[in-house]
Amino acid sequence: VDDAYLVLMDARGRRHWVPPADGVVRVDGLGAVDATRIRASVGRRIEIGGRPFLVLRPSLEDALGSLEREAQTIGAKDIGALLLRIGAGPGARVLEAGTGSGSLTMALAHAVGPAGALVSCDLRREAIDVARRNVERAGLAGRVEFRVADVRQGIPAKDLDAVVLDIPDPWAAVPAAWDALRPCGHLATFSPNMEQVKETAKALRAKPFVGVRTIEVIEREMEVRDVGVRPSHAALGHTGYLTFARKVLDTF
Ligand SMILES: C[S@@+](CC[C@H](N)C(=O)[O-])C[C@H]1O[C@@H](n2cnc3c(N)ncnc32)[C@H](O)[C@@H]1O
């Protein structure tokens, strides 16, 4: 993630983004601050308006945790599991739909690196406008090609290493995904409901795919204190199910 931006973290963990400029800049939630002083203090505690802040370089998780939202986003818990299983690494060619707020877009762009290629499609231009701003702030804009497109009607790319679908009816885009993947390419879908998973599995069984499986990722944060180490009461509830498959040309 672009460290031209910096993050001011307060004692309660709240994060404020400092834009890449010198001199006096405006920071959401804090007003006018001296960016030159902040830039000279990476890793240190500084006082602003009598309050202490740590000056941090933003991580990908910081970027995901503070994005501008315009639709339900995929969070860190599911992104980690998804990236590993679709093999999203440097140089990979990936297409995702829908773009939404661009949470997954940022993680995929980060994973494929400068040598990779990521196409991100959404039916709605408003979603793409918000996602573009989020991706730019993370310094990943050069890696993403945004397209207004309905992926159920066809996928505007070929020989892809992976297709990721976070749309209400991913099953309707499974045939187009098969066409767009290269042999052994990965398909992943994210769906909040079991009914969606069942429809998707049916569509996957109707085409040559292997390794079809669905998982739910459960994460519990621990509160590590001097006395009473235990899971946090603020458990992350249900998010969604991840379904995976790989395109093949023949089956048994
Ligand atoms: C839940 S949001 C995606 C969130 C996104 N994955 C994120 O992490 O921020 C679903 C998006 O899919 C888009 N969408 C729905 N059907 C679509 C389709 N057939 N083709 C492309 N985009 C679609 C919607 O407009 C919406 O923005």
Side-chain angles (χ1 to χ4, degrees), residues 67 70-75 79 96-105 121-124 127 149-153 166-169 173:
L67 46 66
E70 79 85 54
Q72 192 63 39
T73 59
I74 303 189
I79 285 175
E96 68 149 356
T99 308
S101 316
S103 175
L104 183 62
T105 317
C121 302
D122 204 291
L123 289 173
R124 295 176 305 115
D150 180 345
V151 290
R152 296 169 301 187
Q153 307 303 320
D166 177 11
I167 62 174
D169 49 358

Side-chain angles (χ1 to χ4, degrees), residues 67-206:
L67 46 66
E68 183 186 341
R69 274 162 206 269
E70 79 85 54
Q72 192 63 39
T73 59
I74 303 189
K77 160 178 97 73
D78 296 305
I79 285 175
L82 188 147
L83 291 182
L84 178 90
R85 285 176 175 82
I86 66 166
R93 300 180 53 200
V94 180
L95 179 138
E96 68 149 356
T99 308
S101 316
S103 175
L104 183 62
T105 317
M106 288 197 276
L108 287 169
H110 189 259
V112 303
L118 173 62
V119 180
S120 183
C121 302
D122 204 291
L123 289 173
R124 295 176 305 115
R125 182 159 294 286
E126 310 87 83
I128 288 179
D129 290 343
V130 170
R132 200 190 295 277
R133 284 199 289 278
N134 284 323
V135 166
E136 269 169 17
R137 193 182 64 173
L140 299 164
R143 302 184 192 177
V144 188
E145 182 191 340
F146 289 103
R147 297 253 193 129
V148 178
D150 180 345
V151 290
R152 296 169 301 187
Q153 307 303 320
I155 286 187
K158 283 268 164 278
D159 296 323
L160 295 168
D161 296 303
V163 172
V164 184
L165 300 172
D166 177 11
I167 62 174
D169 49 358
W171 58 88
V174 163
W178 192 90
D179 290 342
L181 285 166
R182 70 183 178 111
C184 306
H186 298 263
L187 175 61
T189 67
F190 178 82
S191 296
N193 301 315
M194 282 287 187
E195 288 80 359
Q196 293 166 298
V197 171
K198 275 181 75 176
E199 281 293 327
T200 303
K202 203 164 119 193
L204 289 169
R205 282 198 291 268

Side-chain angles (χ1 to χ4, degrees), residues 223-238:
E223 286 190 3
V224 182
R225 307 176 295 191
D226 285 345
V227 176
V229 177
R230 56 161 174 71
S232 160
H233 289 307
L236 179 61
H238 175 65

Side-chain angles (χ1 to χ4, degrees), residues 53-81:
F53 293 89
L54 282 177
V55 182
L56 304 175
R57 291 190 208 287
S59 67
L60 179 62
E61 199 176 0
D62 290 330
L64 298 180
S66 66
L67 46 66
E68 183 186 341
R69 274 162 206 269
E70 79 85 54
Q72 192 63 39
T73 59
I74 303 189
K77 160 178 97 73
D78 296 305
I79 285 175

